Amino acid sequence: MMEVLNNIGFDWQIALVNFINFLIIFWILKKWVFGPVRKTIAARTEKIQAGIDQAQQSETELLVAKQKAEELIKSARNEANQIVAKAKETADDQVAHAQDTATNEAQAILDKAQAQIDKNKTAMEKELFEKTAGLVALGVQKILGEDVTESKNAELSKRALDLLNQK
Amino acid sequence: MSLGFERALTPIQPDIVFSIGNFGIANSTLMIIFIALLFLALGIFVVRKFTLIPGSFQSIIEMIYESIVGLVEQITGNRYHAERIFPVIATILVYFAVANVIAIIPGLTDITYNGIAIFRTPTSDFNTALGVSLASVIALNYISLQEYGFLGYLGNFFNFKEIIKGFKQGLMEGFVGFIKFFVGLLDIIGELAKIVSLSFRLFGNVYAGQVLAIIIIGSFAYVLPAVWTIMSGFTGILQGMVFASLVAVYYTLSLKPIEELSKKNN
């Protein structure tokens, strides 16, 4: 075995030194190279992750704010609708009230006008009756050549008026 | 029969450049020290200045890092084991990749001291491959020891529990327990075999690559040597990757399954 090893250049002293040198290289790389590189990568990953987390948090917050805003808008819309409905109701009431008042006032005016008309009619009828009576009396006087009494005149006038009314 | 390439070939035995006491410092060792200094310089002067917003060089380093993490995770199958063995696997991979590629730098292996080349590709020296393999298997067993605890770790090799459990169930199961016990003992040899197989495989591949390079450079003056040199660079990285992957597989086999760990944690 030793012969084979010697043939391929085995020397326990060199092997031992090279073994120790490898351990030194291991220590150097672990402490000065791999460690700092790992730390740098970890720090960057952490920072990126923090950024992603923050972005996700912001997104969540934005979503919540959006939902809140939507709720507020919905609530405001409902409130506005309620106010509009109430205003419409009030307006309808006011319109109805105004209509009633106007109708009543119009009716009163109409009634008043009707009363005035009736009054005027009565006055006109009275005037017409008096004039008709005068005309009848005058006609009879002219036709018959005699005076008509006041009572006869009234009767004739009445009869003339009735005839007129019947036509 | 001599083909005439023997003189140009890198000798199998590394050359001793100088000695400290009884310890000879080989040219492959000097190259490892040079690589270690490169890594140290990279760590102190470059990596320490890394920022959250990476530049182009930082991006390349991070990309390599992430690729190795991905490779280890792919082999181990989960993040927990990957993180646990990452430093060892990454060191092997980066070290071998650099060690194999660094020889491509023109003139580096031609620097001599007292007629001896100061630098030599470390992986073409069997002692380096053996040293790294030994370190890997020791690390493998150390992590295994941490995972199972001292008694649990020893239980992997001296499986008395199976014999007792088997005989409690019946005579036949008892014999099966005996077989499992001997299989456990064979695992000790298996650990030693890992060192041998890893070191021989790496050394054989890299040294054979160098022999081929010498033959090609000696046979063809133009074009092909350049192509071969570039290709040997890629081969070097590939060798490092294969070695690291094999060690990662050994680690994965020696680690507790993740389900067992989660049961333990619950």
Side-chain angles (χ1 to χ4, degrees), chain A residues 5 7-11 13-15 17-19 21-22 25-26 28-29 32 34 36-38 40-41 43-44 47, chain B residues 12-14 22 29 32 36 39 43 47 51-52 54 58 62 65-66 87-88 90-91 95 126-128 130-131 135 200:
Chain A
L5 288 173
N7 282 341
I8 56 170
F10 173 70
D11 183 323
Q13 284 185 343
I14 299 171
V17 171
N18 289 358
F19 166 75
N21 278 335
F22 175 74
I25 286 177
F26 171 71
I28 289 171
L29 283 175
W32 298 93
F34 300 142
V37 170
R38 185 177 54 82
T40 310
I41 292 172
R44 189 186 304 127
K47 202 171 180 184
Chain B
I12 265 188
Q13 183 78 33
N22 288 330
T29 307
I32 297 171
F39 286 144
V47 178
T51 53
L52 286 183
Q58 186 180 338
E62 285 182 8
Y65 179 90
E66 293 285 0
V88 181
T91 302
Y95 167 53
F126 175 71
N127 299 302
T128 308
L130 184 70
F200 272 72

Side-chain angles (χ1 to χ4, degrees), chain B residues 141 144-161 181 184-185 187-188:
Chain B
N141 283 281
S144 192
L145 189 74
Q146 279 187 326
E147 287 283 324
Y148 290 100
F150 184 69
L151 289 176
Y153 171 73
L154 282 182
N156 287 337
F157 301 110
F158 305 102
N159 209 344
F160 291 109
K161 215 194 282 179
F181 175 77
L185 291 179
D187 282 345
I188 300 170

Side-chain angles (χ1 to χ4, degrees), chain A residues 125 160-167:
Chain A
E125 273 177 355
L161 277 172
D162 286 342
L163 277 169
L164 280 170
N165 281 338
Q166 278 174 4
K167 282 185 183 177

Side-chain angles (χ1 to χ4, degrees), chain A residues 37 41 44, chain B residues 46 50-67:
Chain A
V37 170
I41 292 172
R44 189 186 304 127
Chain B
V46 183
F50 276 7
T51 53
L52 286 183
I53 301 158
S56 50
F57 186 70
Q58 186 180 338
S59 297
I60 292 167
I61 296 282
E62 285 182 8
M63 205 173 72
I64 294 168
Y65 179 90
E66 293 285 0
S67 307

